[in-house]
Amino acid sequence: EFDSYIIIPIHLHWCNPSARLAQVRHYCVAISDMQKPVVMIGDFNIYTWMNRWQLFDDDRSAIQLLRQQLVEVSSNIIMTNIIPGIKLD
């Protein structure tokens, strides 16, 4: 049942890691008081090297914040190859 969840579509800033981090902070504050389980899905625009390391410090902080706030952060957050070895969710 869809009414058992809150689904939040995400489209974080495409080229500014500090803007992405600010957006993640905003979302985390917004969902902290929600009574139903939250599903965040969409385009996080977080660049990752070799599927393991975020290229930008602010993206590392954004992922860490998401992992602290949410029960599960999918390993599939980075799926799109843009350059061999570099992926973008």
Side-chain angles (χ1 to χ4, degrees):
E1 292 185 29
F2 287 112
D3 62 347
S4 300
Y5 298 91
I6 297 171
I7 298 173
I8 300 175
I10 300 293
H11 190 188
L12 300 183
H13 198 280
W14 70 278
C15 72
N16 186 329
S18 5
R20 286 193 291 274
L21 177 56
Q23 290 172 306
V24 166
R25 286 181 176 142
H26 172 79
Y27 282 115
C28 286
V29 167
I31 67 174
S32 65
D33 292 331
M34 295 184 180
Q35 302 302 312
K36 296 179 183 179
V38 173
V39 176
M40 298 170 75
I41 188 167
D43 192 351
F44 288 79
N45 281 320
I46 292 177
Y47 292 86
T48 303
W49 172 253
M50 301 300 287
N51 296 338
R52 300 174 89 182
W53 302 281
Q54 286 73 44
L55 291 180
F56 305 105
D57 289 337
D58 285 338
D59 284 342
R60 280 190 282 280
S61 297
I63 291 289
Q64 182 179 17
L65 185 57
L66 288 169
R67 286 188 174 134
Q68 289 170 356
Q69 184 73 27
L70 303 171
V71 172
E72 179 180 333
V73 175
S74 173
S75 60
N76 295 322
I77 199 166
I78 44 152
M79 294 300 295
T80 306
N81 278 311
I82 57 171
I83 299 172
I86 297 178
K87 288 193 172 213
L88 174 65
D89 69 327

